Amino acid sequence: MIFRQLFEPETSTYSYLLGCERSRRAVLIDPVASEVDGYIQLLQALNLKLIYTLETHVHADHITGAGLLRNTLGSKSIVHRDAGAMCADLLVTDGVLLQVGELEFAVLHTPGHTAGCVSYAMADRVFTGDALLIGGSGRTDFQQGDAGQLYDSITGKLFILPPDTLVYPGHDYQGNTVSTIKQEMVKNARLGGGKSRDEFIATMQDLKLAYPKFIDQALPANQSCGLAAE
Ligand SMILES: [Fe+2]
């Protein structure tokens, strides 16, 4: 498998390129609009054809590159059916399996940060978007966020994966790149070490986070796959 973890510094966003060595077919998870030229160059350099862009959710902090990539390369964009992005080519639900060459992804519906959040699980790794972050979690105070639901998603859908499963999040603000399910179950500050659902809800209620800087631009743009609404 070809794998690249890509970082967009302005919003500390991680995007991921995964490619099948045999078929040369590839996917991008959570591509960022400002980075699209770089993705196209990278795909060319690696001799890969982009088949899908996979969104973990409708982002409030950056604009997706899905629409630009679809227009340029003909890739299909995928989001959960509850994400509110009807511009997508494929709306998926929990349990859907996506096959791209020899790569296989299982869609896990992991709501709570937003109603339409998904994680994409593969053999040895899971892409958790903003549900489970390294040492933390996504916020739950916008986009139909719900702390209790996020606790249930993380403990019920992610913490049951094999302990050595690699965790690749949608963001990191401290320079961490990867974790494991076991590490998060033990050390995650918000819900590791056996913290209860009530403790997690109380923690999330106490965060008092600032209004998301780009949400008023990013949300409507992402509901039309990152392209200006027509
Ligand atoms: Fe998010």
Side-chain angles (χ1 to χ4, degrees), residues 5-91:
Q5 182 176 34
L6 306 163
F7 186 64
E8 191 286 302
E10 198 188 347
T11 58
S12 298
T13 297
Y14 280 127
S15 307
Y16 300 93
L17 172 68
L18 296 108
C20 166
E21 307 228 28
R22 268 244 298 254
S23 64
R24 312 312 295 181
R25 292 156 77 87
V27 306
L28 270 166
I29 299 176
D30 286 339
V32 179
S34 61
E35 310 295 296
V36 160
D37 289 348
Y39 303 145
I40 293 171
Q41 282 170 17
L42 183 58
L43 287 159
Q44 274 170 356
L46 295 169
N47 186 28
L48 291 172
K49 177 170 173 50
L50 187 67
I51 305 297
Y52 294 131
T53 54
L54 309 179
E55 300 291 341
T56 56
H57 62 295
V58 167
H59 309 276
D61 59 347
H62 67 265
I63 293 178
T64 176
L68 289 171
L69 288 162
R70 174 169 60 195
N71 287 354
T72 316
L73 301 178
S75 50
K76 303 236 181 287
S77 79
I78 294 182
V79 300
H80 189 268
R81 69 169 175 199
D82 295 345
M86 302 313 279
C87 56
D89 298 290
L90 226 73
L91 299 174

Side-chain angles (χ1 to χ4, degrees), residues 57 59-60 113 130 171:
H57 62 295
H59 309 276
H113 169 62
D130 295 2
H171 298 281

Side-chain angles (χ1 to χ4, degrees), residues 160-174:
I160 61 163
L161 296 170
D164 291 335
T165 305
L166 299 169
V167 172
Y168 285 103
H171 298 281
D172 195 89
Y173 305 94
Q174 277 99 38

